[in-house]
Amino acid sequence: MTTASPDRTQQTDTRQRFDMGELAAYHDGPALSDAVATGARVTVTWDDGTQGHFPLLWLRDHCPCAACRHPLTRERLYLPLESISGAPTVSLDDGILRLAWADGHVSHFDPVWLHQRRLEEAGMQQPQALPARRPWASDFRPTRVRHADFLEKQGEREWLEALLRDGLVLLEEGPLADEEVSRLAGRIGPMRATNFGARFDVRSKPNPNNAAYTAIGLALHTDLPNWRQPPDIQLLYCLQNEAEGGESTFADGFAVAEALRDVDPEAFRILAETPIDFRFQDEAHDIAVRAPVIQLDADGNPLEVRFNNWIRDTLRLPLARVEAWYAAYQRFWQMLHDPRHQIEFALEPGQMIAFDNRRVLHGRRAFDPNTGKRHLQGTYLDLDLLESRLRVLAR
Ligand code: OGA
Ligand code: ZN
Ligand code: ZN
């Protein structure tokens, strides 16, 4: 703004930023055919016939210039605390929307960037489409991705998309290598540590602090529902599975919760509206939280299932509600373990199962440690980093 031709300078600058910065989501799209200030908004028309209305303060807040967005971090610098005084001069400058504000500031907006952010009367589209969750159908079988393919962009993307969509994906033909699970996890992000460590070994152990570290069967469960935020994603890499038994079982907790809502809405309501206690204790820890078995989001859709009978704590409920809670729990338990909802298969050495621990329940059949060895290595990841990885791979 101190140079002789501030507009030129700023325009060039703005274009560069469209190629790299804030506008990483830049794609081909409609051009702008018209823009006018209408009161406290700017109305723009694209050449595909669509129109958009943008409040002045919204536009000022989203100015992409180097003074309003840090050119390196791309983070917002502008603070929208003042109301806009005076209407800006609105023009189209070589297809770019140009706003000259009353205080002398000038903003440029790319037509496609604006088109992607049209403000609707109600609701807003997600900033960038991630795979939608798809409930398991009765013939659901996990997507399989070969280990060698996972090491390539396309295979990793397939793996991530299946995991976000189905809440479960199987990797196969991997090496029988100690810590392979850590190497694979490391491609996505740092492992999420818990009281069982960042990386844990599942095999029968002499002094188990956890049912998984015995040879007993594990009914369907989610891990660590006693944490305020249980781990999002669990990876279990099979190194040995020669013992008799030990087949893995899974069920889509969200799909079964919806099925419960259909057949027994009262049971569904009780599990969704009744916080109960979960607690894990050993020598070193005492980790407890109070939360419902089925947690719903603001729209009433399942957001999280907490289901783990070993670490369900004393049921502390008003006397009048105890019997009904058990009836609801029994119903959900039976539906989860019903063969129509539960899938079962034996993990082979070199396979890794990954699942959304807050949606999909997992379990295993009992195994006989006298008939052979069974050894899985596991870790957890945060869903944010899976989504991040998918966005980065989609660039
Ligand atoms: C676990 C678990 C399943 C298995 O470690 O949390 O559920 O197959 N293991 O041993
Ligand atoms: Zn600016
Ligand atoms: Zn488990």
Side-chain angles (χ1 to χ4, degrees):
M1 258 167 280
T2 53
T3 61
S5 54
D7 291 352
R8 279 283 110 205
T9 318
Q10 196 149 14
Q11 186 177 324
T12 312
D13 188 46
T14 307
R15 290 259 166 82
Q16 283 167 348
R17 292 191 38 72
F18 287 150
D19 290 339
M20 40 170 285
E22 218 279 286
L23 307 163
Y26 180 79
H27 299 298
D28 285 340
L32 277 176
S33 55
D34 189 42
V36 287
T38 48
R41 292 177 174 175
V42 171
T43 296
V44 301
T45 309
W46 288 272
D47 65 0
D48 67 353
T50 50
Q51 262 203 344
H53 307 280
F54 296 94
L56 291 180
L57 185 55
W58 188 96
L59 287 164
R60 184 65 193 83
D61 184 35
H62 292 81
C63 176
C65 85
C68 297
R69 284 238 161 210
H70 193 285
L72 296 179
T73 70
R74 296 165 198 162
E75 291 168 316
R76 176 179 280 105
L77 299 174
Y78 178 75
L79 185 60
L81 296 184
E82 284 167 25
S83 51
I84 304 293
S85 58
T89 306
V90 179
S91 59
L92 289 184
D93 185 355
D94 207 6
I96 302 279
L97 175 65
R98 179 181 187 277
L99 302 182
W101 302 94
D103 65 2
H105 196 80
V106 176
S107 304
H108 292 92
F109 293 94
D110 178 86
V112 177
W113 187 94
L114 276 177
H115 192 260
Q116 289 170 340
R117 289 161 180 77
R118 294 186 311 284
L119 304 170
E120 310 289 347
E121 283 305 329
M124 273 297 286
Q125 62 280 40
Q126 285 292 318
Q128 202 166 13
L130 291 167
R133 284 198 169 117
R134 190 165 73 192
W136 296 4
S138 53
D139 60 351
F140 172 76
R141 286 290 166 272
T143 296
R144 293 160 174 257
V145 176
R146 292 175 57 243
H147 179 275
D149 292 336
F150 178 86
L151 301 181
E152 305 285 338
K153 241 177 137 171
Q154 184 49 36
E156 186 180 349
R157 218 171 141 167
E158 225 179 282
W159 183 89
L160 287 164
E161 283 170 353
L163 183 47
L164 294 175
R165 181 187 67 228
D166 300 331
L168 181 85
V169 62
L170 188 64
L171 184 119
E172 56 187 6
E173 296 175 41
L176 303 187
D178 184 48
E179 291 293 350
E180 185 59 17
V181 70
S182 310
R183 283 186 285 277
L184 295 179
R187 297 178 72 88
I188 312 287
M191 296 182 282
R192 157 87 190 270
T194 75
N195 53 301
F196 295 107
R199 234 268 298 115
F200 52 89
D201 285 277
V202 185
R203 55 187 158 198
S204 77
K205 298 177 191 179
N207 281 310
N209 63 349
N210 176 334
Y213 302 159
T214 68
I216 65 171
L218 303 178
L220 289 171
H221 64 282
T222 60
D223 278 8
L224 301 158
N226 57 310
W227 284 58
R228 185 165 285 106
Q229 178 168 339
D232 294 329
I233 302 295
Q234 180 164 186
L235 309 181
L236 285 173
Y237 197 103
C238 178
L239 291 173
Q240 289 176 298
N241 203 2
E242 286 113 44
E244 257 168 48
E247 295 85 358
S248 300
T249 56
F250 300 94
D252 179 351
F254 290 1
V256 180
E258 289 298 353
L260 177 66
R261 173 155 40 196
D262 285 346
V263 299
D264 193 340
E266 181 60 8
F268 176 87
R269 191 191 61 75
I270 288 170
L271 294 181
E273 291 180 2
T274 313
I276 61 161
D277 292 301
F278 297 91
R279 184 174 190 180
F280 170 89
Q281 297 176 78
D282 66 4
E283 291 293 315
H285 299 96
D286 187 346
I287 306 171
V289 78
R290 189 165 169 88
V293 170
I294 302 172
Q295 192 182 325
L296 304 180
D297 68 14
D299 298 323
N301 300 313
L303 183 68
E304 164 149 38
V305 172
R306 291 178 191 260
F307 202 92
N308 186 321
N309 204 54
W310 299 281
I311 58 172
R312 202 163 49 70
D313 199 12
T314 305
L315 188 66
R316 297 183 189 86
L317 291 181
L319 182 57
R321 292 167 55 190
V322 170
E323 281 96 347
W325 187 88
Y326 278 115
Y329 186 65
Q330 285 164 2
R331 192 86 201 255
F332 194 35
W333 177 285
Q334 283 156 2
M335 288 180 71
L336 284 163
H337 292 84
D338 186 317
R340 276 178 303 170
H341 293 297
Q342 181 183 285
I343 62 169
E344 174 172 341
F345 53 88
L347 280 174
E348 292 165 19
Q351 289 186 332
M352 180 182 80
I353 192 76
F355 52 92
D356 181 342
N357 180 57
R358 298 168 79 172
R359 165 183 170 186
V360 167
L361 294 88
H362 64 287
R364 68 149 192 250
R365 303 283 175 207
F367 61 95
D368 179 354
N370 300 316
T371 55
K373 292 214 164 92
R374 185 178 191 277
H375 181 200
L376 310 181
Q377 289 188 322
T379 188
Y380 303 109
L381 288 169
D382 287 319
L383 185 57
D384 302 76
L385 289 169
L386 267 78
E387 294 181 349
S388 159
R389 186 80 187 130
L390 197 51
R391 292 189 192 102
V392 169
L393 290 172
R395 272 180 194 164

